[in-house]
Amino acid sequence: HNSTQEQSCPTMASFKVAASLLAISALSTTHGFTSQAPSTRPVSRLHATDEAFQRSLLEAQFANDAAPTTTTTATAVNGDKEPHVASAASAPIDNTSILNSILRIAASTNRGQHAKPSQKDQVSQLITDLESNAPKIESALESSTGTWELLFSNTQLFRSSPFFLAGRSTCKTPEQAQQYNWFCEMHRGALAISTIGVVRQIITNEGQLVNEFEVKVGAVPFLSDFLPLKYSGGLPFTIDGSIVSTADATPISSNEWELFMDTVEIKGSNIPFLRSVLDSGNVQLKSRGLSQVLEENVDSYEVPKPVLRTTFIDEGMRIVRDEDDNIFVYGRVSDSEEPTDYSGVMADFGVASLLEGFNDAITKVYL
């Protein structure tokens, strides 16, 4: 243990060696390592300096001895073991360093979609450290107003939607919860051809939560299967849209709120003709009406109201956990409480933007 301690604190070891040499030197001049009697001359200026230097070294040694150190082993973000020296008093948690580690994993795994189990475990541990050092807040809901984007999750990104949160809340037994988890995995597998874009939350002062889940799908990926055209891959036409779900959020404690699912609709679709139908609101799923019918006719039915627990790390980042302790890390984009306006999206499968890009890159014909 002594050798480990001295290796971790070379300064203290050097203090001990220097102090010992100076002590021997002092003894040789005062206690007769020679046959001469001690000198009665006034102490010279150099000798006084030596004594002051010796005294400072000894004081420094005593100061180091008064603060013992221990060698511990920490686990780095990449899983390696890294030794470091910790003081007797526990060192404060470096939130900035932990946040940077989380964001590095989030960026390299597409918000956790491609994260390995070991990476998810690492982020979970880092988030637990952040939560233990988080500031206290009076109301998580009031502090959450504004626009946020999902940065990382250790489960499917769409499970941040009030619709899927409410679906999980209908499960009353562990077996049902396990079946629901399996369903969500199969749901994402069936939609593997789609690309998940921005996942956004807008929270208002009135307690309304709007979740926007933007998706892009190849419009004609397998045209060669139906037409005598031979080409590699698909064509650069896409089906775009945003699945928008809304819910009312009611605080039930300082860091928890209860969701009451309201509507689900598709906005910003670029499919011709279908866009006008979707924008009319006639195909909007109104879950509260459905819940009321079920509640009146099915004795065992209870309106699902999932509970979310929020921890604020700072003004720009918050961590949300659902009833299964799934993690959703959000970053604040702005203070705006207005949902995204998708009216500017053209219903043309992206053909107009494709032609515009082709002209800018190839033909360069401008009127």
Side-chain angles (χ1 to χ4, degrees):
H1 174 74
N2 290 336
S3 59
T4 304
Q5 187 174 7
E6 289 180 3
Q7 289 175 4
S8 61
C9 295
T11 303
M12 186 177 70
S14 62
F15 279 152
K16 291 182 177 180
V17 173
S20 299
L21 291 176
L22 287 171
I24 293 172
S25 175
L27 287 172
S28 66
T29 58
T30 59
H31 289 283
F33 281 99
T34 65
S35 58
Q36 298 176 357
S39 174
T40 57
R41 293 180 303 168
V43 179
S44 66
R45 182 178 180 182
L46 178 61
H47 188 59
T49 304
D50 290 342
E51 286 186 347
F53 180 62
Q54 177 185 354
R55 188 162 50 251
S56 65
L57 287 177
L58 291 174
E59 290 174 352
Q61 178 183 345
F62 294 147
N64 279 276
D65 289 341
T69 57
T70 56
T71 302
T72 58
T73 302
T75 303
V77 175
N78 58 10
D80 297 333
K81 301 295 184 180
E82 297 181 350
H84 71 278
V85 178
S87 62
S90 58
I93 296 176
D94 185 357
N95 282 4
T96 301
S97 177
I98 294 177
L99 286 174
N100 288 339
S101 298
I102 294 173
L103 293 177
R104 278 197 298 270
I105 295 178
S108 64
T109 62
N110 192 5
R111 295 167 291 181
Q113 292 187 88
H114 309 304
K116 300 176 182 177
S118 60
Q119 290 175 308
K120 292 182 179 181
D121 291 341
Q122 289 170 13
V123 173
S124 296
Q125 182 57 55
L126 292 170
I127 286 176
T128 299
D129 293 340
L130 286 178
E131 290 174 326
S132 66
N133 196 44
K136 301 297 183 182
I137 56 174
E138 294 183 1
S139 172
L141 185 58
E142 292 179 2
S143 302
S144 298
T145 55
T147 301
W148 303 76
E149 289 184 2
L150 184 61
L151 305 179
F152 178 86
S153 179
N154 61 350
T155 186
Q156 292 88 2
L157 302 187
F158 58 77
R159 293 191 67 166
S160 63
S161 163
F163 178 79
F164 283 94
L165 290 169
R168 167 61 183 89
S169 189
T170 61
C171 302
K172 301 303 180 184
T173 66
E175 291 76 14
Q176 291 175 345
Q178 185 177 5
Q179 292 171 1
Y180 188 78
N181 291 338
W182 177 85
F183 164 76
C184 289
E185 291 178 2
M186 295 302 100
H187 177 67
R188 182 64 188 117
L191 299 177
I193 193 175
S194 65
T195 300
I196 299 175
V198 176
V199 180
R200 187 183 298 110
Q201 271 190 1
I202 301 96
I203 303 173
T204 69
N205 274 317
E206 290 75 24
Q208 185 185 51
L209 186 149
V210 180
N211 195 89
E212 298 172 348
F213 189 86
E214 298 181 355
V215 183
K216 186 186 296 290
V217 185
V220 279
F222 310 114
L223 193 61
S224 60
D225 294 341
F226 306 99
L227 298 176
L229 300 174
K230 300 299 180 182
Y231 60 92
S232 176
L235 296 179
F237 304 113
T238 60
I239 296 174
D240 300 348
S242 180
I243 304 171
V244 181
S245 52
T246 61
D248 289 337
T250 303
I252 59 176
S253 71
S254 61
N255 67 335
E256 292 180 319
W257 63 64
E258 186 179 68
L259 297 184
F260 184 19
M261 183 66 204
D262 191 4
T263 63
V264 180
E265 58 184 323
I266 297 176
K267 294 184 178 182
S269 172
N270 67 344
I271 302 177
F273 307 111
L274 179 61
R275 170 67 173 274
S276 58
V277 176
L278 294 173
D279 287 349
S280 67
N282 295 327
V283 294
Q284 185 183 71
L285 173 62
K286 299 179 180 179
S287 64
R288 292 183 182 178
L290 178 60
S291 293
Q292 184 177 358
V293 172
L294 292 173
E295 196 171 22
E296 292 174 352
N297 295 277
V298 181
D299 294 336
S300 60
Y301 180 79
E302 295 180 5
V303 177
K305 293 185 177 181
V307 175
L308 298 178
R309 185 171 72 256
T310 297
T311 303
F312 276 87
I313 305 307
D314 53 37
E315 293 183 355
M317 182 171 290
R318 62 186 174 94
I319 298 168
V320 177
R321 291 182 182 266
D322 64 10
E323 59 185 295
D324 293 323
D325 257 357
N326 290 319
I327 295 170
F328 305 94
V329 180
Y330 288 93
R332 187 189 295 274
V333 177
S334 71
D335 294 329
S336 173
E337 300 178 18
E338 294 297 325
T340 303
D341 181 9
Y342 291 99
S343 60
V345 178
M346 298 181 65
D348 61 352
F349 289 121
V351 173
S353 59
L354 174 64
L355 294 177
E356 182 180 357
F358 181 82
N359 183 66
D360 292 341
I362 308 297
T363 57
K364 301 183 183 301
V365 176
Y366 303 100
L367 301 177

